[in-house]
Amino acid sequence: MTRRKFDLSAYLVIGPENTDGRPVARIIAEAVRAGFTFVQIRAKHAEAREIIELTRAAADVIAAQGKSDAVSLVINDRLDCVLAAREQGIKVDGVHVGQTDIPPDVCRKYLGADAIIGLSARTSELLDYVSHCDTSCIDYFGAGPLHATPTKPEAGRTASGEIVTRSLEELTQLHRISPVPVVVGGGVKAADLPALKATGVEGFFVVSAVAGAMHPYAAAEELVRIWHE
């Protein structure tokens, strides 16, 4: 079976902790209406059932816009929740894992050839890692942070606690050497997008720029418009 086509251009990472108390599904609906193409449910403190219900609600609002084939939906880290959601008939396309989560080859074994499997490549030896990594089981890399962010304060820190952010030069090189598409995030704002697009990477991901925005639709629409300009 061939791998599913997917569009990383505008990628929303979202969970209950990011929405200022507003329903996660409502913000996903607004982002998708504004042209977001990829959604990741990341609820670090939620129980499995809550993650499955968030995923169901997300799948429902995507389907309500007739975009189930155009917009991809994945769950962060929890292979068990992806399998359980699928078992319940929820359309979830795959999983996004980090370096310390379940290995991508295990995810591939359980989810099958048509699932989307993303891997966070947030290491200080990023370029070296990507050039030597076995990418046969993954569909894209998530890279970052572009800036230090409050949603993932630990992201990209070195052993001594310094924050390592990704330079545009590094990202240009990363795009050049990566055998799979790359999506970049970490504090990304509208003003960053022209320079980020110029690196050649396939997309940007955001959390608070949309999930924490006072007007999520307007925020999402601006990001999508600038990226495609």
Side-chain angles (χ1 to χ4, degrees):
M1 193 159 181
T2 53
R3 299 267 176 97
R4 265 207 43 199
K5 290 269 188 286
F6 57 92
D7 179 350
L8 285 172
S9 60
Y11 187 133
L12 177 65
V13 180
I14 190 168
E17 58 268 38
N18 310 127
T19 62
D20 295 330
R22 297 170 294 183
V24 169
R26 192 173 87 207
I27 290 176
I28 291 171
E30 296 194 12
V32 167
R33 189 161 60 88
F36 266 64
T37 55
F38 209 110
V39 177
Q40 179 192 137
I41 301 293
R42 186 177 81 194
K44 286 297 188 192
H45 312 297
E47 301 294 338
R49 280 201 181 192
E50 185 185 354
I51 294 171
I52 294 163
E53 286 314 308
L54 286 168
T55 306
R56 183 193 302 280
D60 286 349
V61 296
I62 293 168
Q65 295 185 36
K67 292 185 174 178
S68 296
D69 292 330
V71 175
S72 304
L73 176 61
V74 300
I75 297 175
N76 179 269
D77 175 22
R78 298 290 300 267
L79 176 62
D80 58 335
C81 293
V82 180
L83 292 167
R86 285 186 160 190
E87 192 64 30
Q88 293 181 22
I90 299 167
K91 186 184 175 294
V92 55
D93 300 296
V95 69
H96 182 93
V97 290
Q99 298 294 325
T100 56
D101 297 331
I102 295 173
D105 56 327
V106 176
C107 297
R108 180 64 68 200
K109 178 184 170 186
Y110 283 97
L111 294 176
D114 63 330
I116 299 171
I117 296 174
L119 178 67
S120 290
R122 45 172 102 237
T123 59
S124 44
E125 299 79 32
L126 182 76
L127 296 167
D128 184 57
Y129 172 77
V130 168
S131 53
H132 295 102
C133 172
D134 173 14
T135 55
S136 61
C137 290
I138 66 171
D139 297 295
Y140 70 87
F141 278 124
L146 193 64
H147 305 291
T149 74
T151 50
K152 281 202 113 168
E154 78 289 357
R157 284 186 190 268
T158 62
S160 60
E162 296 165 81
I163 293 178
V164 182
T165 52
R166 299 286 151 228
S167 72
L168 294 166
E169 293 74 28
E170 266 184 305
L171 293 171
T172 303
Q173 200 180 341
L174 174 62
H175 167 69
R176 205 167 57 237
I177 65 173
S178 176
V180 294
V182 177
V183 61
V184 177
V188 167
K189 295 176 185 55
D192 297 313
L193 293 185
L196 191 57
K197 178 93 181 252
T199 66
V201 297
E202 280 73 15
F204 65 90
F205 71 82
V206 292
V207 186
S208 46
V210 171
M214 189 178 290
H215 302 291
Y217 173 79
E221 196 264 341
E222 181 190 28
L223 292 164
V224 169
R225 182 170 42 82
I226 292 171
W227 183 261
H228 289 297
E229 274 169 6

